Amino acid sequence: MPMPTEIRQRAEILIASEKARYAELHPRSRQMAAEAGAHFPGGVPLHWMLDWETPFPLFVRAAKGSTVTDVDGLTYSDFCLGDTGAMFGHSPEPVARAIAAQATSGLTAMLPSDLTAEVGRLLASQFGLPYWQVTATASDANRAVVRWARALTGRRKVLVFDGCYHGQVEDAFVKLDGGKTKMKPSLLGQVVDVAENSIAAPFNDIETAEALLACEDIALVLTEPALTNTAMVLPKDSFIEKLIDAAHRHGSLVCIDETHTISTGPGGYTRTHNIDPDFFVLGKPVAGGLPAAVFGFTARVEADMNRVLAEKTPGYSGIGTTLSGNMLALAAMRACLVEVMTPENFAHMTSLAEKLAAGLRAEVARHGLPWTVTQIGARAELVFSERPLESGAEAAAAIDHTVERAIHLFLLNRNVLVTPFHNMTLVAPSTTGADVEKLVANFSAALDALCGKEGR
C-alpha cells in the first residue's frame, strides 16, 4: 500500500524542523565536523556514518552499555548498537577486561595464541559446526566461503536472494529486475558484470530456487535466514530447511550468514531451528564489538578443503588477511562467547524486544496506520506494510525513506537512536524497561506529528 500523501508531506515538514532542532542542540558536533572535514570527507572516517542524514554528523564522546554520550553532553538510549556490532552493549565488561589484559601481552603475531583451542571448542559448542576460521569482518568471511565453495565444487555460480546483504562481497550485488538477474547499479568501480556468475532468486520461493539448483551449476547458496538489511522479511515455515535439502540434492553447498540474525538466540537462527548448513558466518558482535568474524564448516567440507589445498598450485590462495585471527581478537571472542552471549542475556534481550514490539504495534494501531512490526529475537523492526513481507521485492516496495528519516530524526532529537538504514531496533543485555518505554513514548509522539494529531 503506497504511503498516504498527507503523511509524506508532513514527514517533509517534520524533517525540516527536526534538522533545525538538531543544529541547535549540537554546536560542538558541528564544530568537530568542520574540523574533521579538513581530512575526512564529510567529517567521518567511514562514509556510512553520513547515512544518519543529520545536517552534520553526531560525534560520540563515550558509549557504555546501551547509552551513548555525544560531545555536547547529551545522552541517548541506543537501539542501533552499531548496526549490530555492539549488539551486546557498548564495551561489555568481560570483553573490556579481556582486551585490557591481552593488550599488554601482544596484539598480533600471525601465530595462534594459547586461547585458540578453547575458542574453537566454544564456537563448535555454541554454533554446532566442528571447524572454524577467523577473519576481520563478515565480508571477509563471506568472500572466503564463496571462494572455497567454488574451489570445492568446481562450479562458478552463486545463488543469493533478491534483497539480501552480505557485506562487501561483490557476488551478492545482484537483484531481480523484470524476472532477470542484474548487477546492482549502486556497486562502485566494478568492471566485470557479477550477474554473469551470480543468480538472484526471490526469497521464500522454494519452487524457483529448486528449479535454479536443478541446473547443477551452482557452487553455493549464500543466504541470511531472514532478510534483514531491507525492510525485514522472515522465512516461511520450512523454507530454509527445504532450501538446504534442494541444494544438497543438486550438489550445491549452503552458507547461512547469521551476522544479523544472531539476534535469534545464543546459537543464532541455525541452532534455534536445528538447521544444518555446510558453512556458517558470524561477524560484527562475535568479539563484543572488536573487529572480528568467523566462518564455520562441516567435517566433510574440511576434508575437501584439505584435498584442494594438497592439489593446488603453490602460492597465495586469495583467502585470508594478515590480521585475521590475531591474539586480541581471540581474547575478546573468548570473553564474549563465555560471559556475554549467554542464554540468560538472550532471554533478557528477547523479552524486552517482545515488549518493544508490542508497544510499537499498539501505537501503530492507535494511529490507524497499516503498518506491521516484525521481530526476530532481540531485533524488532517497523515495516511500512499492512502484512508481514514475503520477498525482497515486497520489502523494496515498502520502504519510504522520507517517512523513515522523519521518524529517525525525531527520535534522535529526543535522545533515542535507531538504525539509520531502516527502522531496525536492537535490545542489548544492558537495555532497560525504561529505555523501551522511552522509545515507545517518543515513537508515539512522532506518529502524532506524522498524522497531524499534535496538540489534540
Side-chain angles (χ1 to χ4, degrees):
M1 177 182 293
M3 187 68 67
T5 300
E6 59 272 20
I7 288 183
R8 185 173 289 111
Q9 290 174 338
R10 292 192 191 103
E12 291 172 349
I13 294 170
L14 189 59
I15 288 170
S17 63
E18 293 300 323
K19 286 176 68 174
R21 177 174 177 149
Y22 176 90
E24 292 175 3
L25 290 170
H26 301 94
R28 180 61 178 146
S29 274
R30 182 196 289 275
Q31 179 184 353
M32 294 197 78
E35 293 172 359
H39 301 288
F40 292 107
V44 295
L46 171 66
H47 67 90
W48 289 7
M49 295 175 182
L50 297 173
D51 287 348
W52 296 82
E53 297 191 88
T54 49
F56 44 85
L58 181 72
F59 281 76
V60 174
R61 175 176 297 155
K64 180 64 178 174
S66 296
T67 301
V68 168
T69 303
D70 71 18
V71 293
D72 286 287
L74 302 174
T75 60
Y76 304 81
S77 295
D78 187 7
F79 290 88
C80 172
L81 296 171
D83 190 25
T84 311
M87 191 179 89
F88 301 110
H90 298 284
S91 298
E93 289 292 347
V95 176
R97 288 196 304 268
I99 291 173
Q102 185 62 48
T104 61
S105 301
L107 304 179
T108 186
M110 210 180 73
L111 289 168
S113 80
D114 56 359
L115 296 176
T116 302
E118 182 183 1
V119 171
R121 287 193 296 269
L122 290 168
L123 290 168
S125 174
Q126 188 133 343
F127 303 114
L129 288 145
Y131 291 99
W132 294 85
Q133 289 282 270
V134 178
T135 65
T137 69
S139 293
D140 292 337
N142 281 320
R143 188 175 287 114
V145 168
V146 169
R147 283 187 174 272
W148 275 120
R150 285 173 170 156
L152 301 183
T153 64
R155 299 175 177 182
R156 297 175 60 176
K157 293 187 177 180
V158 175
L159 174 65
V160 297
F161 290 98
D162 187 38
C164 72
Y165 179 74
H166 300 288
Q168 288 184 312
V169 179
E170 294 87 348
D171 304 88
F173 277 79
V174 290
K175 65 174 186 174
L176 283 175
D177 186 350
K180 295 182 179 180
T181 298
K182 294 187 179 180
M183 186 170 74
K184 290 183 178 180
S186 60
L187 183 57
L188 292 175
Q190 184 65 29
V191 296
V192 176
D193 186 355
V194 296
E196 293 178 4
N197 291 305
S198 292
I199 304 170
F203 194 71
N204 276 323
D205 186 343
I206 192 61
E207 290 78 15
T208 295
E210 174 92 45
L212 292 168
L213 289 162
C215 296
E216 301 200 341
D217 58 355
I218 292 172
L220 179 73
V221 178
L222 175 60
T223 185
E224 306 162 87
L227 300 184
T228 60
N229 212 58
T230 179
M232 192 187 294
V233 182
L234 299 183
K236 293 181 179 178
D237 288 345
S238 301
F239 171 69
I240 300 296
E241 293 89 336
K242 290 176 181 177
L243 176 67
I244 292 174
D245 176 68
H248 288 169
R249 280 189 284 106
H250 295 294
S252 302
L253 298 170
V254 178
C255 177
I256 300 296
D257 181 356
E258 291 257 23
T259 298
H260 284 167
T261 54
I262 188 61
S263 63
T264 310
Y269 188 98
T270 299
R271 290 308 291 275
T272 301
H273 295 274
N274 297 312
I275 306 298
D276 293 309
D278 303 285
F279 293 96
F280 172 102
V281 164
L282 175 59
K284 291 189 178 180
V286 70
L290 195 73
V294 294
F295 65 97
F297 41 96
T298 64
R300 178 180 175 182
V301 167
E302 194 265 348
D304 283 345
M305 286 176 168
N306 287 334
R307 172 184 55 80
V308 167
L309 289 172
E311 295 173 353
K312 85 173 189 70
T313 302
Y316 176 42
S317 66
I319 299 173
T321 58
T322 305
L323 294 178
S324 297
N326 65 73
M327 294 181 289
L328 188 64
L330 267 287
M333 199 178 300
R334 179 201 172 279
C336 194
L337 289 166
V338 173
E339 300 183 70
V340 181
M341 297 175 67
T342 64
E344 295 78 14
N345 276 344
F346 269 98
H348 169 84
M349 293 157 67
T350 300
S351 175
L352 270 188
E354 288 170 352
K355 292 180 180 180
L356 172 58
L360 297 178
R361 290 189 187 106
E363 290 305 324
V364 166
R366 188 171 71 84
H367 288 82
L369 295 166
W371 301 344
T372 58
V373 177
T374 304
Q375 182 196 351
I376 184 165
R379 181 182 301 265
E381 184 166 324
L382 172 70
V383 179
F384 299 139
S385 168
E386 60 188 349
R387 62 169 177 79
L389 302 169
E390 296 185 358
S391 69
E394 289 185 356
I399 292 171
D400 189 297
H401 293 297
T402 301
V403 177
E404 278 184 5
R405 187 181 181 194
I407 293 173
H408 299 173
L409 281 170
F410 188 97
L411 292 174
L412 187 152
N413 279 337
R414 286 148 188 86
N415 307 97
V416 178
L417 300 178
V418 298
T419 304
F421 308 126
H422 40 104
N423 298 311
M424 190 273 289
T425 64
L426 277 169
V427 170
S430 49
T431 304
T432 67
D435 291 322
V436 169
E437 292 170 4
K438 179 179 176 182
L439 171 52
V440 172
N442 283 292
F443 176 68
S444 176
L447 295 189
D448 284 347
L450 289 172
C451 295
K453 295 183 178 180
E454 299 162 289
R456 294 185 183 182

